[in-house]
Amino acid sequence: TQFEMETGTEAALRLMSPLRVKQAIAAIASMLGHTHTGTYEPVQTAATQAEMVGGTVSAVRSMSPLRIKQAMVVGYVARTANTMLAAGDLGQFINITSGTFTQTFDAAATLGGGWWCYLRNAGTGVITVDPNATETIDGVTSGVIVAGDTYLILCTGTSFITERRQNGPMRIELKTSSGSWVAPLGVYAARASATGGGAGAKNGDRYVGGGGGTAIKTFKVQPGTVYSYVVGAAGTISGSGTNGGASTFTAGGVTITGGGGQCDSSSVGLIGKGGAATGGDINISGGAGLPASVSDDENAGGDSVYGFGARLIGSSNYTTNYVAATGYGGGACGDGYKNATATQGCVIIEY
């Protein structure tokens, strides 16, 4: 009340609304030369949290620190299945602790411009976010939230936009078989690396395969859009050997290619050439496979950015030790008695 403001009680700190400040100033002016009537304004009840959120007259009347704090409190809701996001979820932190499901929304017009909530995928599944009817979120009719990500979701009154709150370091996805990748909500740029498969070799003494090339590029992407990629296979050790397969990633009409390693079976002791790389911001050719200079000596398959070629270490067929190719894109080698195979390529997506 005005009296509390004048006397400096605890309630004065609790209820410092513009109206109360004005009253207190008037009271001070009265004490400095004006006759105080002893009449005070009726006590006005402080606004509730609902009134503050709803923006009623009471909210303007009683913007006390206590009520401001109440209006800013973020509630917490845990769930494992879909419950439509509605007006009552305004300001809630919704923690999805498990499950793979589609999260639905009430109509944007019903929620109103300025409605917002946090949505976190704390489980291991993928949550599909699907606004009402044909309404969009980040420009698409549905999008995904991958495990570990948190989003601030804001309603514009006709659609929804998001701000991604990434937890921890940049997310890395390793792809070891061909397929497609859907850009999650809030992701507008991604870096892709494509490494070709390592080459095989002819089944014979002093034949080797080169390592796969690697192309790296940062792409502009759109949430909810599907992007294709191909993972190159490893070359084989056979009568003449086979080259490694190429790996690719395509977005916005641009393709990066990590070429497969090469093998040359036309003559003994030839270098296995590394695979080429094209289309990237960075293009790194695969390492060459190096044959032994004499029979039964050391051979080495070519390396790649993400793998090492096979190694043959020894001085005779009977004492030879083999180190297998590791990682992705490593070339093969052999001596005709025992052969070490190549490894396949890969595609890596970071965002």
Side-chain angles (χ1 to χ4, degrees), residues 46-284:
T48 65
Q49 183 177 5
E51 289 173 326
M52 296 287 287
V53 172
T56 65
V57 173
S58 295
V60 178
R61 183 191 70 219
S62 296
M63 289 290 285
S64 69
L66 173 63
R67 297 310 186 192
I68 292 173
K69 181 179 179 181
Q70 290 174 335
M72 294 175 65
V73 167
V74 176
Y76 174 83
V77 177
R79 64 178 52 169
T80 58
N82 178 53
T83 299
M84 185 179 71
L85 295 176
D89 293 309
L90 172 66
Q92 298 278 38
F93 187 99
I94 298 169
N95 192 29
I96 299 172
T97 57
S98 65
T100 294
F101 58 87
T102 297
Q103 175 63 62
T104 59
F105 292 69
D106 203 349
T110 302
L111 297 177
W115 178 95
W116 62 275
C117 75
Y118 287 107
L119 194 60
R120 180 189 182 201
N121 183 359
T124 57
V126 175
I127 305 304
T128 300
V129 180
D130 188 10
N132 184 64
T134 59
E135 292 175 351
T136 61
I137 183 165
D138 283 349
V140 292
T141 54
S142 66
V144 296
I145 297 179
V146 297
D149 274 0
T150 302
Y151 287 80
L152 170 63
I153 300 176
L154 176 67
C155 179
T156 67
T158 58
S159 62
F160 298 88
I161 56 177
T162 72
E163 179 182 275
R164 182 174 177 235
R165 304 291 180 92
Q166 185 172 321
N167 297 322
M170 176 180 287
R171 181 176 296 277
I172 299 176
E173 295 188 23
L174 171 65
K175 308 297 185 182
T176 57
S177 59
S178 301
S180 59
W181 173 75
V182 179
L185 291 175
V187 175
Y188 293 90
R191 183 169 62 200
S193 303
T195 296
K202 182 177 179 178
N203 185 11
D205 190 16
R206 298 168 60 202
Y207 288 99
V208 294
T214 299
I216 304 170
K217 184 176 181 63
T218 298
F219 290 90
K220 290 183 178 180
V221 297
Q222 179 67 33
T225 302
V226 179
Y227 300 95
S228 62
Y229 58 87
V230 174
V231 173
T236 61
I237 294 179
S238 59
S240 57
T242 61
N243 297 330
S247 295
T248 65
F249 181 90
T250 301
V254 177
T255 298
I256 60 171
T257 302
Q262 306 293 300
C263 65
D264 190 342
S265 59
S266 61
S267 178
V268 67
L270 295 178
I271 291 174
K273 295 180 180 179
T278 60
D281 298 324
I282 301 173
N283 298 299
I284 305 171

